[in-house]
Amino acid sequence: MAKKPKIAIVGRPNVGKSTLFNKLSGKRTSIVDQMEGVTRDRVYSSAEWLSQGFDIIDTGGYVSSNEDDFNEEIKEQISAALNECNGIIFLVDGKDGLNPNDQFLSKIVRKSGKKFVMGVNKCDTPEHASRINQFFDIGFRNPIPISALNGTGVGDMLDTLFESIDLNNISQSNDDSDCSITIVGMPNVGKSSLLNALIQRDQAIVSHIAGTTRDSVDTMIKWHGKNIRIVDTAGLRKKSKVVSDIEFYSSLRAMDSLLRSDIVLLVVDAEKGFTKQEKTIAKEVIKKGKRMIILVNKWDLASGANVSAELYKEDMYMEFKDLQHYPILFVSALTRRRVSNIIEVSWEIFTKQRKKISTKELNEWVEKAVRNYPPPANQGKSIKIKFIEQVQQSPPIFALFSNYPKLISTQYLRYLHNQIRDSFDLNGITIKFSLRKG
């Protein structure tokens, strides 16, 4: 397998790190906004330059003061990125000029001992190339004028960086995930705490302030020899309560991550219970055809009120009956209670029914189901179920052929839905029927 270096992009706020990250990755992975401090966690993606694959890490903007509530955590994220990377793109703003924070960060970059290159951003035309002159005062050799927005000079910057990195000293990369898991839920339910508990390190910034996570943060872990990708997402709120562009784009990133995932972990705050917004999120997950597990987090706080897990489940079923088809785990990210079960259950659901159910088995099943409970007549018509076959694997879609498909009642479809789940062990998997005439 090809060796892929990890490249960290660092710089003070608003110099264009996320714009460069998106340019290199070829997609809008990081959120870009004129407001400072949008990126907080480390964000990962893959890229390629002249047949050389590499991983890129976007980081939060570095400032030496602690005016921002998250500044210390952002510094820790930058430090972690510098520790794990093989090379650094130190990005500065050619338009705004040299800043004291650039000088502070330059010392950290030097101390890291990693190979680095300075990119002077916002040099969008050849006339802007002279903007690099002011940065010689930092003592870096050969700052390179670039435009993260239009790509000017980015290739030269990568050439310079890769020439200095010894690829032979880089361990082989194995970033192809066997399973992708996305963590979704309302703000401040403990999604980032759960991510940190699962990977057993502090990668995502955790705070009592709702909305701490803005980008979707990807993490690769090894589990029994399998490559598992876990994605922490921004909190999802009602559209009417989304008050900023950043939160809007965070929600879009969360939904994009959901679509790309194999398993969705819907996190619920045990103290607040399963609310209408969680129901809306669960419906969206089911609508997208995703496998799903419900995680009732902070159970260490709720269980002290003598509330049993079974009664809690019953209350959730009252709110949304479809939840009975998906596993519900009671966990605590803080104490790590039962957190180790999450990946195990996720993998079990992921590997369940990977193969299509044979048409013979399905028709034997439907014949028995109809014999036990025939479809009721509707509008004076006698309804016959004639044939069934699986026409799609993920999510499983079953084509159900009938003489009057439009007259099959919702209640009868629910009966068939429950029966097929029980017969073929489809718990945790979203299934759909496609009614057809024939």
Side-chain angles (χ1 to χ4, degrees), residues 140-159:
F140 282 19
R141 291 182 301 169
N142 303 324
I144 298 173
I146 72 161
S147 170
L149 193 61
N150 63 37
T152 302
V154 172
D156 294 335
M157 180 181 66
L158 292 176
D159 285 340

Side-chain angles (χ1 to χ4, degrees), residues 120-279:
V120 181
N121 193 26
K122 304 180 184 178
C123 296
D124 303 312
T125 67
E127 290 75 23
H128 294 157
S130 60
R131 290 177 175 176
I132 68 171
N133 296 334
Q134 58 196 312
F135 293 98
F136 282 105
D137 290 344
I138 293 180
F140 282 19
R141 291 182 301 169
N142 303 324
I144 298 173
I146 72 161
S147 170
L149 193 61
N150 63 37
T152 302
V154 172
D156 294 335
M157 180 181 66
L158 292 176
D159 285 340
T160 301
L161 182 58
F162 286 140
E163 284 173 7
S164 65
I165 296 174
D166 185 0
L167 295 176
N168 294 321
N169 288 332
I170 298 173
S171 58
Q172 286 191 332
S173 173
N174 190 15
D175 280 348
D176 294 328
S177 61
D178 295 299
C179 176
S180 178
I181 299 172
T182 295
I183 306 173
V184 300
M186 293 274 285
N188 221 27
V189 295
K191 298 183 298 297
S192 295
S193 296
L194 274 168
L195 171 67
N196 291 338
L198 285 169
I199 66 178
Q200 298 182 13
R201 65 177 186 267
D202 292 337
Q203 172 160 314
I205 296 174
V206 177
S207 169
H208 67 280
I209 300 172
T212 304
T213 301
R214 289 169 168 174
D215 282 296
S216 294
V217 183
D218 290 32
T219 305
M220 294 289 295
I221 65 168
K222 277 277 189 183
W223 181 79
H224 295 292
K226 306 295 183 183
N227 295 305
I228 309 292
R229 184 185 300 277
I230 306 176
V231 185
D232 181 23
T233 63
L236 296 170
R237 297 202 292 173
K238 290 181 181 179
K239 290 182 180 179
S240 61
K241 293 188 176 181
V242 174
V243 295
S244 69
D245 289 344
I246 294 170
E247 190 172 359
F248 172 74
Y249 287 113
S250 294
S251 297
L252 291 184
R253 295 288 188 276
M255 295 310 300
D256 179 63
S257 298
L258 188 154
L259 287 172
R260 292 185 287 113
S261 65
D262 300 305
I263 305 279
V264 174
L265 305 179
L266 173 56
V267 184
V268 177
D269 187 321
E271 292 188 295
K272 296 178 181 178
F274 190 80
T275 66
K276 288 183 179 179
Q277 181 60 10
E278 268 94 18
K279 181 178 178 179

Side-chain angles (χ1 to χ4, degrees), residues 397-417:
I397 297 179
F398 302 96
L400 195 66
F401 293 85
S402 170
N403 56 343
Y404 297 108
K406 293 182 180 180
L407 298 182
I408 299 175
S409 67
T410 302
Q411 291 82 357
Y412 194 74
L413 277 178
R414 189 175 293 120
Y415 161 73
L416 292 179
H417 188 275

